[in-house]
Amino acid sequence: MLTILGFVMIATFLVLIMMKKMSPLAALVLIPALFCVLVGQGAHLGDYVIKGIGDLAPTAAMLMFAIIYFGVMIDVGLFDPVVRGILRFCKADPVRVVVGTALLAAIVSLDGDGSTTFMITVSALYPLYKRLKMSLVVMTGVAATANGVMNTLPWGGPTARAATALKLDAGDIFVPMIPALAVGLVAVFALAYVLGRRERKRLGVLTLGDVATVTGAVEEKETEQVLVGAGAGAKGGAPAAARPATGGSAAPGSDGSGGSVQDLDLQGLDPRRPTLRPRLYWFNAALTVALLTLLILQTLPIPVLFLLGAALALTVNFPHMKDQKARIAAHAENVLNVSGMVFAAAVFTGVLTGTGMVEHMARWLVSNIPDALGPHMGLVTGVLSIPLTYFMSNDGFYFGIVPILAEAGAAHGVAPIEIARASLVGQALHMSSPLVPAVYVLVGMAKVEFGDHTRFTVKWAALISLVVLGASLLFGIV
C-alpha cells in the first residue's frame, strides 16, 4: 500500500504543477500532508516535517548567503567582463547564445555547486535572452542539463555519496567515467545547437541597432545582419524580413523591435549603475576565487563559507550601513523565494522518507528485477538512476537504494565499483528534480514557471542521461 501511495503522491504532485493547478510551494506542502494522513500517520506529520527541515536547513542557509554574495558581486561589476565576452561571442545569433549558455554553465559547474552555476549563468545571459525575445525555458533547460553532467565531479556530491555508501575511493569511481561523461557533455552541446537552430528558425532575422547596448558598452557598431527575436511580430513563427544592421537604426531607448530597454529589465548590467566598485575589482575577484577554492577543498562547511563571504563582501564594498541594507533588500525577493521553496521541499522529503514510502518503493523496484538481469546489474542501476534520482534526493538514493542494488549485484558477481559508476548516470535529469533546491534558484532568477521548465527539460535531460549510459556500456565502464 505504501508503495502505491508513494507513486501516486509523486504523480499527483508532478501533474498538478505541470498543469499549473497549484504553485510548487503549495504542492510541496499540501500534497504530502494529505498523503501522510491517508497512510494513517497524520499524528507524526510534525515530526516528519521537523526532521525534513533539519536535514535541509544547512542547504537553505547556504542558498540564502550564496544569493546575497553573488548578488553583491553582480552589483559591483565582477561579472561584467564575462558578460561582455559572452556577448561578443554570441552577437545576436540564437545558436551561439544557446551554445554559450551550455558552455558557461559547464565551466562554472567546475566549482561543484549548482546554485552558484545558475546564479552566474542566469545573471550573465538573462538580459540577452530577453533582448532577443528567446525562450527562457531553453536557457534554464540547457543550463540545468549541463550542470547535471558536470555535477558528477568528485567534489560535486553524487560521486562522494556513492563512494561513502559503498566504502570506495571517489577517484576510482569518477576517473574511469570521464570518457562517458565527456560524451554526455558533447551531447549537451549538440542539444544546445539543435535548440539554438530551432530558436533561430522561430525568431527570424531582424536588425539590432547595437548589441553592445545590452551591457551598455560603447563598442564598434555591427555592420552584418544579426538575429533578434521577433516571435511576437511574425505570425506562425515565420522568419521576418532581413534588413542590414546599422548602428544608429534604433531610436534612443529602443531595442530595435518596438520595446524599450527599460521594459526588458536590462538595468542589472547598466555600466553606470551606482553600485559598481571598479577600484575593488581585483579584491572581489580574489575573494571569489578564494571562496570557490575553499569550497572545492571543503575546508569549512559550504553554508559557513558563503556566510563569511557575504559578510566580508558587504562590509568591504558597502561600508555604510544604509548601503548594506539596500543591497540586502535588493536581493531579498530571491532569498525569500528560494529559502521558502527549500523548506517546502522539506515537507515533501520528510513525509516521503518518514512514512517509509521511499523504502517501500525502492524495495519493490529491486524485488521486481528479473533474475536474468542479475549479471547486468550495472545496466539496471544506470537505468533506475534516471527516474530514482529525479523522484528522490541524492542522499535517499545513494545511501538508501545504491547499497541494495550493490548487494543484489554482488550476488551475481557484479563489483560494487560498477554499481557506483552506473549510479551517476541519472544526474543530468536529477538537477531538474523538484527536490533539488538549486533548481528554484534557476527558475526564480530566470522568471520561469517550474512547471514549464519541467515539461521542457525532462525529456532532453533523460535523453542526455541515456547517452551517458550508452557511452558507459560502449566503453566497458559499466
Side-chain angles (χ1 to χ4, degrees):
M1 180 60 73
L2 282 175
T3 301
I4 296 173
L5 287 175
F7 283 117
V8 172
M9 184 177 88
I10 292 171
T12 303
F13 168 76
L14 291 174
V15 169
L16 286 175
I17 62 169
M18 285 194 288
M19 293 181 66
K20 299 184 181 179
K21 298 298 184 183
M22 292 183 75
S23 69
L25 190 147
L28 283 168
V29 173
L30 297 179
I31 291 173
L34 173 62
F35 275 83
C36 186
V37 173
L38 290 178
V39 300
Q41 299 188 38
H44 300 288
L45 176 61
D47 296 333
Y48 299 153
V49 172
I50 294 299
K51 175 66 166 58
I53 289 175
D55 291 340
L56 289 181
T59 301
M62 181 272 289
L63 291 175
M64 287 172 61
F65 292 106
I67 289 171
I68 293 174
Y69 179 83
F70 284 104
V72 169
M73 290 298 114
I74 292 164
D75 292 338
V76 300
L78 178 63
F79 301 113
D80 283 21
V82 177
V83 176
R84 286 194 290 270
I86 291 170
L87 293 179
R88 279 194 292 268
F89 166 75
C90 296
K91 299 189 178 179
D93 183 355
V95 173
R96 291 191 180 198
V97 173
V98 181
V99 172
T101 303
L103 179 62
L104 180 60
I107 292 172
V108 182
S109 294
L110 290 171
D111 76 340
D113 179 56
S115 7
T116 302
T117 299
F118 297 148
M119 280 186 278
I120 294 175
T121 302
V122 175
S123 297
L125 295 174
Y126 176 81
L128 186 58
Y129 273 80
K130 288 290 287 182
R131 178 149 180 104
L132 303 183
K133 293 185 171 63
M134 292 177 62
S135 171
L136 291 169
V137 293
V138 170
M139 176 177 68
T140 61
V142 169
T145 307
N147 177 252
V149 175
M150 296 296 291
N151 193 45
T152 52
L153 292 167
W155 53 87
T159 303
R161 288 179 175 90
T164 302
L166 299 182
K167 297 178 175 59
L168 301 169
D169 181 74
D172 293 339
I173 298 173
F174 175 74
V175 173
M177 280 292 291
I178 290 176
L181 295 172
V183 171
L185 196 57
V186 170
V188 171
F189 287 119
L191 171 64
Y193 178 79
V194 171
L195 295 175
R197 289 291 298 267
R198 282 174 44 176
E199 284 294 280
R200 178 194 282 174
K201 182 178 179 181
R202 179 177 71 86
L203 298 173
V205 181
L206 284 178
T207 299
L208 182 62
D210 186 358
V211 180
T213 58
V214 179
T215 60
V218 180
E219 297 178 353
E220 183 179 354
K221 310 295 185 185
E222 292 291 332
T223 58
E224 62 179 313
Q225 285 186 349
V226 291
L227 296 161
V228 63
K235 291 183 179 181
R243 295 190 297 273
T246 56
S249 62
S254 169
D255 66 352
S257 60
S260 68
V261 173
Q262 286 77 13
D263 291 341
L264 295 181
D265 193 26
L266 302 182
Q267 299 93 323
L269 291 174
D270 179 3
R272 294 171 295 278
R273 59 191 186 272
T275 58
L276 285 176
R277 297 293 185 269
R279 293 182 179 178
L280 292 171
Y281 183 85
W282 292 111
F283 166 80
N284 289 316
L287 177 61
T288 302
V289 170
L291 179 64
L292 296 181
T293 302
L294 292 174
L295 186 151
I296 292 172
L297 296 176
Q298 300 180 2
T299 307
L300 287 172
I302 296 178
V304 176
L305 287 174
F306 277 115
L307 193 156
L308 294 173
L312 187 56
L314 279 169
T315 302
V316 174
N317 288 283
F318 302 98
H320 299 297
M321 185 72 68
K322 179 182 68 175
D323 295 332
Q324 291 182 18
K325 288 181 177 179
R327 289 303 89 213
I328 293 173
H331 302 291
E333 182 180 357
N334 280 336
V335 170
L336 180 60
N337 288 339
V338 172
S339 57
M341 205 67 73
V342 171
F343 288 124
V347 180
F348 195 94
T349 56
V351 169
L352 203 60
T353 304
T355 57
M357 290 182 189
V358 164
E359 183 179 354
H360 279 75
M361 292 161 63
R363 291 191 178 278
W364 177 82
L365 285 171
V366 173
S367 65
N368 279 278
I369 297 173
D371 291 337
L373 290 178
H376 308 287
M377 281 302 295
L379 172 61
V380 171
T381 300
V383 172
L384 288 179
S385 74
I386 299 174
L388 290 182
T389 55
Y390 183 78
F391 295 126
M392 300 173 62
S393 68
N394 269 342
D395 285 338
F397 177 70
Y398 286 102
F399 295 119
I401 309 302
V402 170
I404 299 173
L405 294 170
E407 184 179 338
H412 292 86
V414 179
I417 193 74
E418 289 189 34
I419 302 297
R421 292 170 187 160
S423 69
L424 302 177
V425 165
Q427 288 303 304
L429 179 58
H430 171 74
M431 287 310 298
S432 290
S433 166
L435 303 181
V436 174
V439 76
Y440 298 110
V441 176
L442 175 64
V443 298
M445 293 187 68
K447 299 178 174 60
V448 168
E449 290 289 337
F450 182 78
D452 293 337
H453 171 79
T454 300
R455 279 198 303 273
F456 178 82
T457 306
V458 165
K459 57 183 179 293
W460 299 118
L463 176 62
I464 299 298
S465 292
L466 289 173
V467 169
V468 174
L469 177 59
S472 301
L473 295 172
L474 182 64
F475 295 139
I477 301 169
V478 172

